[in-house]
């Protein structure tokens, strides 16, 4: 069956800021408290979307969510008019306000795990929104994300959008810890679920704690009906990678079609993992193309700092593949040398394109973090109508909204400004109209 991939990028929200909220994420920690530029951040993301469209890639966008999240503050007992709720939360606990203000839903690789219909037992496309329970600020995304996915992928005949994994000790971070290998998008594939540890493991080893529980990965693979066809493999992310700042596996590995590009230290028990992978691919009648960076050619710190593996690998209409990379890779000589080696190797990857995503990168979000991949057959694509999809005209419209409603400067103290909430809601209304999503935000539903 032929199928195409749509990349749904997260549109950066009006409260994009540097809160230093993310544990194990070195960029977020080192940029805490800096002044952000939400307008520039959103425009950087939109220009990546436009460039990919021009390369012939289908592109969608998921909207920002309402922040500061007034509903959450009310659940904590803050009361009165919205402006009073904000003011009393800011007085009581500025860190709480920072958490309910994060624009972190922009990193849609953490929105959900998606299994194409070629892989699943019932032939539907399955989605499980990530519970993101490892971090309070990220856990606030789940309800709206679920509504957004159900608004876009609404037709029962083709799509199942499950509830997020309900057991919060089983942390699930979505597609950022999931790779798919297949001969081509439309063929049955092997889905690799990469976990950090079992939720029942005794910790006490020091270092950063793992966000993805093995049990969550297993639940997602099970509800997507992947086991019967031999379509799933559980793999453990290496402790060294997590401690080195790879808080998600997509900081050290990325796949597309039969290709897996990864750092030698990405997986625990590397050799056993690669053996299992080759066997599972052979059972699906294809050989994986392994593009590995050895420790000698690129250290783990270099990989994490440059975000080489947080690139997108895309299948172009011509059939070749392109790498979508952040500028930081170009500025890191040995990461750039790896890319050049891959391009010279006459393998599946033919092109490399570099983008300025610095606003998002300062919070640890590269090109791959900013997108959710959804592989669809032609019928499935037709069922979407135009919900959530973007073309150049929609990107033009989104750019106008961003220029009109987004600030070009946001410091931590500004999060308490009630005008910021009004501006954000106005922007969200307008964005929802462009993307044709209906009322998905709490403030639109009350
Ligand atoms: O969860 N940063 C996000 C970055 C997510 C990147 N996604 C992928 N690797 N797929 C995180 O660590 C920082 C927000 C702040 O500090 O204000 C943050 O949440």
């Amino acid at each position: 069956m032929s199928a195409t991939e749509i990349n749904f990028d997260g549109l950066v929200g009006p409260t994009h800021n540097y809160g230093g909220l993310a544990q194990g994420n070195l960029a977020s920690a080192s940029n805490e408290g800096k002044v952000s530029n939400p307008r520039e951040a959103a425009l950087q993301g939109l220009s990546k979307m436009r460039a990919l469209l021009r390369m012939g890639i289908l592109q969608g966008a998921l909207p920002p969510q309402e922040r500061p999240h007034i509903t959450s503050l009310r659940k904590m007992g803050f009361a009165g008019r919205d402006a009073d709720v904000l003011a009393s939360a800011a007085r009581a606990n500025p860190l709480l306000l920072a958490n309910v203000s994060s624009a972190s839903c922009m990193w849609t690789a953490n929105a959900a795990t998606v299994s194409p219909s070629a892989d699943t037992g019932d032939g539907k496309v399955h989605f499980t929104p990530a519970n993101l329970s490892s971090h309070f600020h990220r856990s606030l995304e789940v309800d709206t994300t679920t509504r957004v996915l159900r608004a876009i992928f609404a037709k029962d005949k083709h799509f199942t959008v499950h509830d997020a994994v309900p057991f919060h000790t089983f942390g699930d971070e979505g597609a950022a810890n999931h790779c798919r290998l297949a001969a081509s998008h439309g063929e049955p594939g092997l889905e690799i679920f990469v976990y950090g540890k079992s939720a029942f493991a005794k910790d006490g080893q020091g270092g950063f704690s793992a966000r993805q529980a093995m049990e969550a990965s297993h639940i997602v693979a099970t509800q997507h009906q992947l086991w019967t066809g031999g379509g799933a493999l559980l793999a453990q992310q290496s402790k060294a990678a997590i401690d080195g700042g790879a808080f998600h596996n997509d900081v050290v590995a990325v796949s597309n079609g039969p290709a897996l590009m990864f750092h030698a230290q990405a997986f625990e028990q590397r050799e056993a993992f690669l053996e299992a992978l080759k066997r599972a691919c052979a059972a699906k009648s294809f050989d994986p193309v392994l593009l590995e960076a050895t420790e000698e050619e690129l250290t783990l710190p270099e990989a994490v700092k440059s975000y080489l593996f947080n690139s997108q690998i895309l299948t172009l209409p011509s059939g070749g593949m392109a790498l979508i990379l952040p500028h930081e890779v170009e500025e890191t000589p040995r990461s750039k040398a790896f890319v050049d080696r891959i391009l010279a190797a006459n393998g599946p990857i033919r092109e490399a394109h570099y983008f300025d995503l610095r606003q998002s990168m300062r919070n640890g979000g590269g090109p791959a973090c900013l997108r959710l991949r959804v592989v669809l057959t032609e019928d499935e694509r037709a069922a979407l109508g135009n919900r959530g999809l973007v073309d150049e005209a929609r990107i033009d419209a989104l750019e106008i909204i961003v220029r009109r409603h987004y600030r070009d400067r946001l410091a931590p103290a500004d999060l308490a400004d009630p005008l910021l909430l009004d501006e954000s809601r106005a922007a969200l209304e307008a964005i929802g109209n462009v993307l044709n999503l209906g009322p998905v935000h709490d403030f639109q539903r009350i």
Side-chain angles (χ1 to χ4, degrees), residues 97-132:
L97 182 61
N99 271 271
V100 300
S101 301
S102 174
S104 55
C105 72
M106 71 170 86
W107 300 298
T108 51
N110 306 115
T113 306
V114 187
S115 295
S117 53
D119 301 352
T120 63
D122 62 0
K124 291 189 186 185
V125 187
H126 285 249
F127 300 78
T128 297
N131 66 22
L132 293 167

Side-chain angles (χ1 to χ4, degrees), residues 220-286:
V220 176
T222 304
Q223 66 187 11
H224 291 198
Q225 305 180 23
L226 300 176
W227 295 114
T228 35
L233 183 68
L234 288 177
Q236 187 170 11
Q237 192 185 359
S238 80
K239 176 84 178 114
I242 295 173
D243 288 345
F247 52 97
H248 292 132
N249 183 60
D250 69 1
V251 177
V252 281
V254 55
S255 67
N256 187 56
L260 179 67
M261 190 172 105
F262 62 105
H263 188 268
Q265 289 216 47
F267 299 96
E268 210 53 69
Q269 299 189 305
R270 172 188 164 282
E271 268 146 55
F273 163 68
L274 292 178
E275 273 318 303
L277 177 82
K278 286 180 197 157
R279 267 198 313 275
C281 292
K284 303 230 162 253
S285 311
F286 71 94

